[in-house]
Amino acid sequence: MSRSALIIRYVAFAVVAVLVNLIVQRVVLLGGASEVWFFFALGMGTLAGLVVKYILDKRWIFFDQTSGAAAQGRQFGLYSLMGIATTVIFWVSETSFWMIWGTEFARELGAVIGLSIGYVTKYQLDRRFVFRDMVR
């Protein structure tokens, strides 16, 4: 796959994961607008986006053929671990925008900015540590 095709595909998958993340957050936030609901929404959206992005990256970015529950469990665990630092970038960005401006638009803008920075970083980490044996 050409570099430009890989970038287009990765960006498209990041957009899908961001949309899943934000949709899940909005659904959770229907339950309330308190800080508890906000952080619950943040966590649930992050988990949903993580699972979707893992499935797409594994199959269509890194062409990984790892099978078996134990091997995939280890791989997903490592994939998730690589996402911790990038998730912190996203959470700090989203939370900062929400605390400064206090609007849903600002919160989502902060999320998009943070997730964009995070996904660029995450690709490099995943390529180096999670899917290092895969053809790219």
Side-chain angles (χ1 to χ4, degrees), residues 75-92:
Q75 188 177 55
F76 182 73
L78 190 54
Y79 184 86
S80 299
L81 183 63
M82 294 299 119
I84 289 174
T86 59
T87 297
V88 169
I89 293 168
F90 149 56
W91 282 359
V92 166

Side-chain angles (χ1 to χ4, degrees), residues 25-52:
Q25 283 190 38
R26 280 190 175 210
V27 169
V28 171
L29 287 170
L30 292 174
S34 69
E35 287 182 11
V36 172
W37 280 103
F38 171 75
F39 288 111
F40 183 60
L42 201 63
M44 294 305 294
T46 299
L47 181 61
L50 174 70
V51 170
V52 167

Side-chain angles (χ1 to χ4, degrees), residues 2-135:
S2 72
R3 182 175 177 88
S4 57
L6 177 68
I7 291 169
I8 290 167
R9 188 177 283 184
Y10 192 80
V11 168
F13 293 164
V15 168
V16 168
V18 167
L19 291 173
V20 166
N21 185 318
L22 294 176
I23 288 167
V24 169
Q25 283 190 38
R26 280 190 175 210
V27 169
V28 171
L29 287 170
L30 292 174
S34 69
E35 287 182 11
V36 172
W37 280 103
F38 171 75
F39 288 111
F40 183 60
L42 201 63
M44 294 305 294
T46 299
L47 181 61
L50 174 70
V51 170
V52 167
K53 188 76 166 64
Y54 171 74
I55 291 166
L56 294 172
D57 284 356
K58 177 181 177 56
R59 172 69 177 99
W60 298 101
I61 299 297
F62 298 106
F63 305 101
D64 179 57
Q65 300 297 316
T66 301
S67 61
Q72 288 200 46
R74 281 190 300 276
Q75 188 177 55
F76 182 73
L78 190 54
Y79 184 86
S80 299
L81 183 63
M82 294 299 119
I84 289 174
T86 59
T87 297
V88 169
I89 293 168
F90 149 56
W91 282 359
V92 166
S93 178
E94 180 174 357
T95 303
S96 296
F97 276 58
W98 181 61
M99 291 177 74
I100 292 168
W101 289 285
T103 67
E104 190 167 307
F105 175 78
R107 179 187 63 77
E108 289 184 350
L109 179 62
V112 169
I113 291 169
L115 285 165
S116 298
I117 294 167
Y119 279 134
V120 169
T121 305
K122 184 143 179 29
Y123 172 79
Q124 296 301 323
L125 292 170
D126 291 341
R127 193 181 90 197
R128 181 168 291 148
F129 299 110
V130 179
F131 301 105
R132 66 178 177 258
D133 298 328
M134 300 302 113
V135 177

